[in-house]
Amino acid sequence: MRKRSLFMAGGFLLAGTLSPLATAAPAQAAMSDICGGVIGDMFCLYYNSYQKGGATGTRGNVANWDNYGGTGYPMNFANWGLGTAGVGQKVKNNAASWANSGDRAGVSYYNSNYAGAYDVGNPNSKGQLVNTYNDNASFRWR
């Protein structure tokens, strides 16, 4: 009898552990084509058009991609499994497309400190950079 109750308790514990995973999977799958599977408030930039090649993302404003977070170091494109073109290259003046998994518009600017021509990335969507194609220097949430 003791073995049976331990077995049942273990089964309930396992079911309780797996239950959140089962409910999280559809949300993850729905967002995977927006911003590399990142859920919520991430603006991503890609080295190539159509969200291909090296990628990067930010949750905060970036006054200058060459001084990311005030560190004095540039942000570089990473390998997110979307192709290796541009991986290791600086993000500044090298982005071609964007994706926005946030609920606010994201703005890519031509100049540092949020100045000059810009492209607006609407919430939960993706697209091509036009005014800042390979001339992106800063980013800010709107």
Side-chain angles (χ1 to χ4, degrees):
M1 183 103 169
R2 181 167 163 81
K3 283 184 183 181
R4 182 176 181 195
S5 59
L6 284 175
F7 177 74
M8 288 181 64
F12 289 127
L13 181 62
L14 181 61
T17 304
L18 294 178
S19 175
L21 295 176
T23 58
Q28 182 75 18
M31 293 302 292
S32 66
D33 64 338
I34 298 294
C35 201
V38 175
I39 297 176
D41 292 334
M42 178 74 83
F43 192 88
C44 300
L45 289 171
Y46 301 85
Y47 184 79
N48 285 339
S49 297
Y50 305 105
Q51 297 74 45
K52 300 292 183 199
T56 194
T58 186
R59 287 194 160 95
N61 296 334
V62 180
N64 183 347
W65 284 108
D66 271 349
N67 184 18
Y68 186 74
T71 62
Y73 295 101
M75 175 63 92
N76 296 328
F77 288 108
N79 187 347
W80 286 9
L82 304 168
T84 58
V87 171
Q89 296 291 316
K90 289 190 211 180
V91 171
K92 186 173 184 176
N93 297 330
N94 281 315
S97 59
W98 59 270
N100 182 356
S101 67
D103 58 2
R104 300 177 287 167
V107 184
S108 176
Y109 291 91
Y110 184 88
N111 293 322
S112 298
N113 300 311
Y114 324 114
Y118 59 88
D119 289 297
V120 177
N122 291 320
N124 293 307
S125 60
K126 57 188 175 180
Q128 306 305 108
L129 293 173
V130 177
N131 301 313
T132 62
Y133 180 90
N134 287 340
D135 282 315
N136 57 296
S138 58
F139 166 81
R140 180 166 45 188
W141 290 106
R142 183 182 281 177

